[in-house]
């Protein structure tokens, strides 16, 4: 597609359930990022992929969070045993892996609400 | 890892006044610096970026930012604010490996 696509756009889940969030990056973009945006908290870095590998997983908040990327394309962010504090907008972005000065293009995000 | 600090989570200016949003970065190597804007109920979009060369960078909608290595700063300015500039602004830094980190954001309010 023309842009970064995230699905679902909205997700309401019960506390304790697992959720999977999907990101389709722009075709040909080798770098992929996940961020979390909570009210008043700015953009919290979660994880970054170069191709299928994740050089930096330091932002994942707990071991309930995991992410993978296959085929250098689609990525899924999985949250197990969701908690109310996981409620936020989860943003995905992608960029060409170049010299580091390339623009990151963002999806519209997945709004997760844990009830 | 590289990091960004945005001073002031909320800035309010009058229409026509100067806009100044502050950003300081930390990086062990020459950084690449970005400003992104998020208008209400919209996704993030690039406003401007600095990679190499001229330290004063011009972006969309009349915004500009100046890279000052000695001050480790990349402040965003606009001479005259418009009501349509009301949004959240994020400063970001990346290094050669493309790992991009964002600041906490500054919400700009423009008063009539």
């Amino acid at each position: 597609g023309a842009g970064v696509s995230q699905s679902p756009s909205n997700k309401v889940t019960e506390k304790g359930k697992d959720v999977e969030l999907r990101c389709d990056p722009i075709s040909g973009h080798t770098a992929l990022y996940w961020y979390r945006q909570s009210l008043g908290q700015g953009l919290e870095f979660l994880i970054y992929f170069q191709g299928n590998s994740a050089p930096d997983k330091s932002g994942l908040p707990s071991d309930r969070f995991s992410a993978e990327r296959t085929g250098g394309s689609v990525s899924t962010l999985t949250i197990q045993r969701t908690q109310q504090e996981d409620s936020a907008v989860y943003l995905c972005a992608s960029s060409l892996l170049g010299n580091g000065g390339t623009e990151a293009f963002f999806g519209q995000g997945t709004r997760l609400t844990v009830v | 890892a590289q990091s960004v600090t945005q001073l002031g989570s909320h800035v309010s200016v009058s229409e026509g006044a100067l806009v100044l949003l502050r950003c300081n970065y930390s990086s062990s190597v020459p950084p690449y610096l970005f400003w992104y804007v998020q208008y209400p109920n919209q996704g993030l979009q690039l406003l401007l970026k600095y990679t190499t060369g001229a330290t004063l960078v011009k972006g969309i909608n009349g915004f500009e930012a100046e890279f000052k290595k000695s001050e480790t700063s990349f402040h965003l300015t606009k001479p005259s604010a418009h009501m349509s500039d009301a949004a959240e602004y994020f400063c970001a830094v990346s290094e050669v490996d493309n790992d991009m980190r964002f600041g906490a954001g500054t919400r700009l309010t423009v008063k009539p």
Side-chain angles (χ1 to χ4, degrees), chain A residues 31 33 35 37 40-43 45 48 50 56 58 91 95-108, chain B residues 1 32 34 36 38 41-46 49-51 88 90 94-105:
Chain A
Y33 316 81
Y35 298 92
Q37 187 174 26
Q41 298 298 313
L43 282 168
F45 170 81
Y48 157 65
Q50 284 185 16
D56 189 348
S58 63
L91 292 170
S95 71
L96 286 169
L97 185 62
N99 63 359
T102 49
E103 175 185 357
F105 293 83
F106 281 81
Q108 292 297 308
Chain B
Y32 301 103
F34 306 79
Y36 283 80
Q38 187 177 34
N41 301 313
Q42 294 187 28
L44 277 87
Q45 58 182 280
L46 182 70
K49 68 177 182 181
Y50 168 80
T51 54
E88 185 132 24
F90 294 93
S94 73
E95 297 176 347
V96 65
D97 63 358
N98 260 37
D99 185 358
M100 186 176 290
R101 303 299 174 101
F102 285 80

Side-chain angles (χ1 to χ4, degrees), chain B residues 42-95:
Chain B
Q42 294 187 28
L44 277 87
Q45 58 182 280
L46 182 70
L47 199 55
L48 51 79
K49 68 177 182 181
Y50 168 80
T51 54
T52 59
T55 56
L56 181 63
V57 180
K58 295 186 186 299
I60 60 173
N61 300 334
F63 283 92
E64 60 183 37
E66 186 171 11
F67 168 57
K68 292 188 176 180
K69 183 179 178 181
S70 61
E71 298 177 7
T72 60
S73 69
F74 192 57
H75 302 329
L76 182 70
T77 60
K78 181 173 180 177
S80 176
H82 294 168
M83 298 295 291
S84 60
D85 294 328
E88 185 132 24
Y89 292 79
F90 294 93
C91 184
V93 60
S94 73
E95 297 176 347

Side-chain angles (χ1 to χ4, degrees), chain A residues 40, chain B residues 6-12 21 87-89 104-109:
Chain B
Q6 290 184 241
L7 296 176
S9 59
H10 193 182
V11 170
S12 181
L21 305 182
E88 185 132 24
Y89 292 79
T106 298
R107 183 168 297 279
L108 176 67
T109 301

Side-chain angles (χ1 to χ4, degrees), chain A residues 3-46:
Chain A
V4 178
S5 177
Q6 291 187 246
S7 60
S9 54
N10 279 283
K11 177 71 177 178
V12 179
T13 190
E14 292 181 352
K15 179 180 171 182
K17 294 284 180 69
D18 298 351
V19 294
E20 270 194 7
L21 312 180
R22 177 185 170 106
C23 173
D24 284 88
I26 293 172
S27 179
H29 280 193
T30 50
L32 185 147
Y33 316 81
W34 283 100
Y35 298 92
R36 179 167 69 176
Q37 187 174 26
S38 306
L39 196 60
Q41 298 298 313
L43 282 168
E44 178 187 3
F45 170 81
L46 298 180

